[in-house]
Amino acid sequence: MARSLFRILKAYKNIVSTPYKYQPSSCLQFTNSIARTMVGLPFSLSFKPQDFSLPNSSWSAEMMRLYNYYNSQCEVETEIGEKNRGPWRRLPSYNRTLKYATGGAYLSKLIQSKNRLFTRSIKTPGAAFEYVVFLNKEEQRTVCIFQAGHLLEGPPGHVHGGAIATMIDSVTGTNAAYISGPLVTANLNIDYRSPIPLGSTVLIESSLDKREGRKTFVSCKVTSTDGSKLHTEAKGSSWEGERVVDGGWRSMRGARARQTTLRGKPFTCSIKGKDNC
């Protein structure tokens, strides 16, 4: 990257220091040179983030089939030929959520600038978490098409239970967040039924069970793409209206927060009448 920037500065310096003499082709040559240099710059200088929920070369034929099916439900055509929004919506997925994560009081800005979403931290396509999530807001449920890469191995040839739990937490959290707004996971109970082979494609479906006050309860199941085999099922609950502040939790609804200590450090708890969150 340093060499690429040096080439740009050197070209600019030559233009400034050279007496002007009109040549019809000179501007075109300089433009082409700058264009070639910019193409060679790394992705980190690009202003357009990469959407990891879009297909790539690692996706299997089954994953592409399911993607095309749900993606076709995102837009419907009326009898007169007009296109309207369908019942489903594809959710974009990026490897960062914030430029600097809130609550990082104990981290330097340099470390924070390198934050990456856990499920999108592996650059090699197909090596770890390959997935796309579709949301049906009217039915209050989500469907995730998930393909596990070789870096997620637990039992020989099968997906690690922690990787499955990660995806369940991500899908149920996404579903609950679109129903209730900002939240954090409070509880997640998982029952593993049958192992998932590495490289296979599965469906992770989450739906709303109920809401009680500030808590949202959702259920989830992981099945084969044809629904014939149940791999995992789970139930979870989330507290809504929370955000991370200086190493603790603070209510976004303005509830009175009180200070306690956690391992010798200040800890903010917004749940009245309880000693911890």
Side-chain angles (χ1 to χ4, degrees):
M1 182 176 71
R3 288 197 297 269
S4 298
L5 292 176
F6 177 74
R7 290 171 59 188
I8 295 176
L9 294 175
K10 184 176 180 181
Y12 174 76
K13 182 178 180 181
N14 291 338
I15 292 296
V16 174
S17 60
T18 303
Y20 175 76
K21 182 178 180 181
Y22 176 74
Q23 294 181 355
S25 61
S26 60
C27 291
L28 181 60
Q29 292 174 354
F30 175 71
T31 302
N32 290 339
S33 175
I34 294 297
R36 287 193 299 269
T37 302
M38 293 302 291
V39 168
L41 289 177
F43 174 76
S44 59
L45 294 183
S46 173
F47 294 100
K48 185 177 180 180
Q50 180 181 355
D51 185 352
F52 289 88
S53 69
L54 296 174
N56 63 57
S57 58
S58 72
W59 285 20
S60 65
E62 181 66 4
M63 188 167 183
M64 279 300 308
R65 182 186 71 81
L66 291 168
Y67 171 85
N68 290 331
Y69 170 76
Y70 282 101
N71 201 49
S72 67
Q73 305 299 312
C74 295
E75 193 176 65
V76 294
E77 188 172 335
T78 63
E79 294 179 355
I80 59 176
E82 294 182 349
K83 291 185 178 181
N84 296 327
R85 176 176 290 184
W88 290 93
R89 172 188 171 193
R90 180 183 62 82
L91 302 181
S93 178
Y94 306 103
N95 63 0
R96 300 183 69 182
T97 53
L98 296 173
K99 183 176 182 181
Y100 294 113
T102 59
Y106 306 106
L107 298 177
S108 69
K109 289 294 182 67
L110 177 61
I111 295 177
Q112 291 186 45
S113 67
K114 296 181 179 180
N115 286 347
R116 293 294 181 270
L117 187 66
F118 176 53
T119 56
R120 298 301 190 188
S121 60
I122 305 298
K123 294 182 178 180
T124 307
F129 299 93
E130 288 293 339
Y131 65 96
V132 54
V133 178
F134 290 89
L135 169 73
N136 190 318
K137 203 166 186 179
E138 291 183 0
E139 298 180 3
Q140 297 184 321
R141 69 188 185 100
T142 54
V143 171
C144 172
I145 309 167
F146 171 52
Q147 176 183 296
H150 61 276
L151 295 182
L152 302 184
E153 186 176 42
H158 293 84
V159 183
H160 194 287
I164 300 172
T166 295
M167 288 305 304
I168 290 176
D169 186 34
S170 298
V171 175
T172 55
T174 298
N175 192 32
Y178 273 90
I179 295 171
S180 304
L183 48 76
V184 291
T185 300
N187 180 269
L188 189 61
N189 296 317
I190 301 176
D191 293 321
Y192 296 94
R193 302 299 186 188
S194 61
I196 301 174
L198 283 176
S200 63
T201 301
V202 295
L203 288 178
I204 307 175
E205 302 180 58
S206 174
S207 58
L208 173 69
D209 287 341
K210 61 180 179 178
R211 296 182 65 185
E212 292 182 356
R214 293 175 56 228
K215 262 194 173 183
T216 301
F217 296 84
V218 294
S219 58
C220 182
K221 62 179 181 179
V222 183
T223 66
S224 56
T225 56
D226 60 2
S228 62
K229 178 176 287 189
L230 176 64
H231 292 290
T232 314
E233 56 185 347
K235 287 187 176 293
S237 61
S238 302
W239 285 101
E240 64 177 89
E242 302 285 340
R243 67 188 176 97
V244 182
V245 178
D246 296 334
W249 301 107
R250 179 172 297 170
S251 173
M252 296 180 66
R253 286 188 166 186
R256 179 179 296 177
R258 60 195 181 91
Q259 292 286 338
T260 66
T261 59
L262 179 65
R263 294 181 181 176
K265 296 180 180 179
F267 182 72
T268 304
C269 180
S270 63
I271 305 175
K272 297 181 181 179
K274 297 201 175 184
D275 292 332
N276 57 61
C277 296

